[in-house]
Amino acid sequence: MSPSGAFECFSPVVALQSTSVFDGVSYRSSSKYHPPVDAVGCIALNQPRRPKKRMEPILNDEITRRRSGINRLPPEILGDIFMAYLRHAHAGPVERLMAVCSTWKTVCMGTPILWTKMVVNLSHWGPSLDLREKRRSYIHHHLVRSGVLSMDVTIHLTSHPSIDPRACVHLSQDVLELLFSGGWSGKGSGNWHALSVSFDESTPRRLLDFLGRDLGRVKSLTMDAPRDARVPVMSLPSLCHLERKDGVIPGGFDASQLDSLTLHSIRLTPEEANLLSNYTHLTTLVLHRPISSSPLMKKVTLSRLTTLDVRTPLAVGLRFLVLPQLHTLRTVFEDASVQSVCGLRQLNQVRGLEFTELEWTVSLWKNTGLGFAASYAQDMTALRVRPSMEILQRLLVSCPELEVVTGLDMAVTRSSTIVKMTPSNWPRLSFV
């Protein structure tokens, strides 16, 4: 029997065309035989297998869609999952979700809330003018597909080191004009819900003038700019939340109208304490990486503050804060942050304690004494990231009215271990 005849006899996909004999067994043309795997492998060495036919793209996409478990969810549930993803600080644009498959594209196109977040980066302009049209198209599609919903807009005006900021200022003005006016859609800056702006000393004044437009519905504002930056007076009658970075203070609103304040990299000086005392109606205060406070800090009373969030890689003194209504305390489960909140005055009335995960980057740690030594593997007596049991116990003992401890699993486990030693000190305490 020839090798070709043997291959036709044992092929798992080709029916027998003639009668052949193998190991004393006769196989007729009307029979089909599926040999063992080892036999197929031996015969395949004599003659290559026939290439498999490729499925059509539409059929392949349909099979993939049916096999995917997430695509079996209702479109409303899938839209909620996409929205939870887009709320993340490091999430990509909605266009990235649309590129996954036709099902996701259909859900994104039919969910207006997914199009309410816009990020316009005007820091870089290439040699081609296509960037202007792409950015205008990006803004147009988000304004139209979001329907009547309010917009959450982020604008980056920080200049690129290799590009003169004045060279392409006319292109940036054209894009900002469409963004603030809304074009023919009519959804200009008057329909924004949140605004985040970042710029530096080299940003042209003509671009900053756009911030003086109507922002009557903006409730959340984030400013990342130098303290001495010349920011135009902004119209913010509805502002409720302010996030300051590097110390810039925008004008155009009353400090008493804020109920939430976030301070990034703020040096705690007597001047800053005077500014903080003007926010008399604050209910939430977030101190993110505050710089060490001055020993001459005077007391700052925030009579309505109920939630304090402290996130710092270095211990800072917070005894200047007088918080008679403090109810919830959040902090990073790290030694310096826990030590900082232990110095607060009104811990005996705290009902809820929440621990979050460490968020410091390697570059931030290198700017500190501990991080510098750890980065270059120098000899150290101790390098503690997680708080010790003594520091954690000190915090818990300072909160006799504590009712719930939640957040990071490691923090909850260690806290429960401390509480089990003296359960009578916290009769109503529960762990979530």
Side-chain angles (χ1 to χ4, degrees), residues 176-190:
L176 289 177
E177 181 62 35
L178 174 62
L179 179 64
F180 278 81
S181 65
W184 62 266
S185 65
K187 291 186 60 177
S189 57

Side-chain angles (χ1 to χ4, degrees), residues 58-331:
I58 298 179
L59 181 60
N60 190 14
D61 183 65
E62 181 67 18
I63 294 177
T64 304
R65 185 186 66 82
R66 290 184 178 182
R67 290 180 178 178
S68 178
I70 192 172
N71 289 335
R72 298 177 183 177
L73 298 175
E76 296 80 6
I77 303 299
L78 198 57
D80 292 341
I81 296 175
F82 292 163
M83 192 59 204
Y85 162 75
L86 294 176
R87 287 196 183 101
H88 195 272
H90 303 286
V94 65
E95 288 82 1
R96 185 176 299 176
L97 297 175
M98 294 177 59
V100 174
C101 64
S102 60
T103 302
W104 287 26
K105 181 178 180 181
T106 303
V107 173
C108 292
M109 293 290 289
T111 310
I113 195 173
L114 300 179
W115 297 89
T116 57
K117 183 178 180 180
M118 283 194 298
V119 180
V120 181
N121 192 344
L122 302 179
S123 303
H124 175 71
W125 288 97
S128 176
L129 297 181
D130 292 342
L131 279 176
R132 179 176 63 176
E133 298 303 326
K134 290 180 179 179
R135 287 167 178 167
R136 288 178 60 88
S137 177
Y138 169 83
I139 295 173
H140 171 75
H141 285 121
H142 276 259
L143 292 178
V144 173
R145 293 173 180 173
S146 59
V148 298
L149 301 178
S150 301
M151 304 299 296
D152 184 352
V153 181
T154 301
I155 306 175
H156 296 291
L157 299 176
T158 306
S159 303
H160 196 273
S162 60
I163 298 178
D164 185 3
R166 297 170 296 179
C168 302
V169 64
H170 63 286
L171 300 177
S172 299
Q173 282 183 297
D174 182 62
V175 175
L176 289 177
E177 181 62 35
L178 174 62
L179 179 64
F180 278 81
S181 65
W184 62 266
S185 65
K187 291 186 60 177
S189 57
N191 292 321
W192 293 355
H193 172 77
L195 173 62
S196 177
V197 184
S198 62
F199 56 92
D200 54 13
E201 297 87 350
S202 60
T203 303
R205 176 69 182 186
R206 284 180 288 176
L207 301 183
L208 297 181
D209 288 340
F210 282 92
L211 299 179
R213 299 284 186 92
D214 177 29
L215 301 172
R217 297 186 181 180
V218 172
K219 295 184 177 180
S220 176
L221 175 64
T222 302
M223 297 287 291
D224 185 2
R227 176 179 288 271
D228 55 351
R230 299 178 58 186
V231 183
V233 178
M234 307 172 68
S235 176
L236 301 166
S238 303
L239 188 64
C240 298
H241 170 71
L242 175 63
E243 185 171 347
R244 289 173 46 197
K245 298 182 180 180
D246 293 340
V248 65
I249 304 175
F253 69 95
D254 187 5
S256 61
Q257 73 186 58
L258 296 181
D259 56 25
S260 178
L261 177 65
T262 301
L263 301 178
H264 283 261
S265 304
I266 300 297
R267 183 176 296 276
L268 300 178
T269 60
E271 293 77 12
E272 189 65 35
N274 292 332
L275 294 176
L276 189 60
S277 60
N278 295 329
Y279 303 106
T280 55
H281 289 72
L282 280 184
T283 59
T284 302
L285 175 62
V286 180
L287 299 177
H288 195 278
R289 285 163 35 193
I291 303 175
S292 182
S293 60
S294 171
L296 302 177
M297 293 284 289
K298 69 175 184 179
K299 294 182 181 180
V300 177
T301 302
L302 301 175
S303 57
R304 299 190 180 185
L305 192 75
T306 59
T307 302
L308 178 64
D309 191 339
V310 179
R311 307 178 184 184
T312 173
L314 297 176
V316 295
L318 300 177
R319 290 191 62 83
F320 68 94
L321 292 176
V322 179
L323 312 173
Q325 299 295 329
L326 183 61
H327 183 274
T328 303
L329 181 62
R330 299 194 190 102
T331 183

Side-chain angles (χ1 to χ4, degrees), residues 6-80:
F7 180 76
E8 293 176 358
C9 174
F10 284 89
S11 173
V13 296
V14 180
L16 295 173
Q17 303 296 329
S18 60
T19 305
S20 58
V21 179
F22 186 78
D23 290 343
V25 182
S26 176
Y27 303 99
R28 300 185 180 278
S29 57
S30 59
S31 63
K32 294 183 179 179
Y33 176 68
H34 298 276
V37 176
D38 54 351
V40 174
C42 295
I43 297 172
L45 295 176
N46 298 331
Q47 189 169 344
R49 296 175 182 268
R50 296 182 180 180
K52 296 182 179 180
K53 295 182 179 180
R54 296 183 178 180
M55 293 184 296
E56 296 293 334
I58 298 179
L59 181 60
N60 190 14
D61 183 65
E62 181 67 18
I63 294 177
T64 304
R65 185 186 66 82
R66 290 184 178 182
R67 290 180 178 178
S68 178
I70 192 172
N71 289 335
R72 298 177 183 177
L73 298 175
E76 296 80 6
I77 303 299
L78 198 57
D80 292 341

